[in-house]
Amino acid sequence: KEFAEWLRAQKSALGMDSSSMVISVGPDASGLPEGLIGIQRGSKVIERFQFRLTSAHFASSEKNFGSDEYVSKNGYDQAVLDLAENEAACFILAKDPSNRECGLFALGGSRIREVLEATA
């Protein structure tokens, strides 16, 4: 509850709304056991990308990039960057209503680079 109140105040201060996504960092950020990085999505993000970017996808991404093991190996900064690049690639793919590539899981590193480089 305390985190939710803090997050609400931060979103307001940054001008974020229901079409925004926030990556938070720290113990219990994801709500998953051992989750050190979390993703909070606004209701419009959930609505727009329904079935293409599911709760299972975001949980998988949080687990992959926010686990104790991943953060210990790569550091917080790199883990957040890797997660952000994964989500950027998935948002690019999810713009196509028929693409379900990120429906359930995070992308692999080579696929992330492939998608991002194709749009650069």
Side-chain angles (χ1 to χ4, degrees), residues 68-119:
D68 285 328
E69 181 181 345
Y70 194 90
V71 172
S72 293
K73 180 180 177 185
N74 298 286
Y76 274 107
D77 291 345
Q78 189 62 50
V80 170
L81 178 60
D82 292 346
L83 174 62
E85 288 179 343
N86 178 75
E87 296 315 307
C90 283
F91 278 111
I92 290 166
L93 293 169
K95 288 191 319 187
D96 175 356
S98 67
N99 191 310
R100 304 277 194 266
E101 193 170 345
C102 292
L104 296 175
F105 302 106
L107 293 174
S110 60
R111 181 65 175 135
I112 293 168
R113 285 185 293 284
E114 179 184 329
V115 172
L116 296 178
E117 288 173 3
T119 60

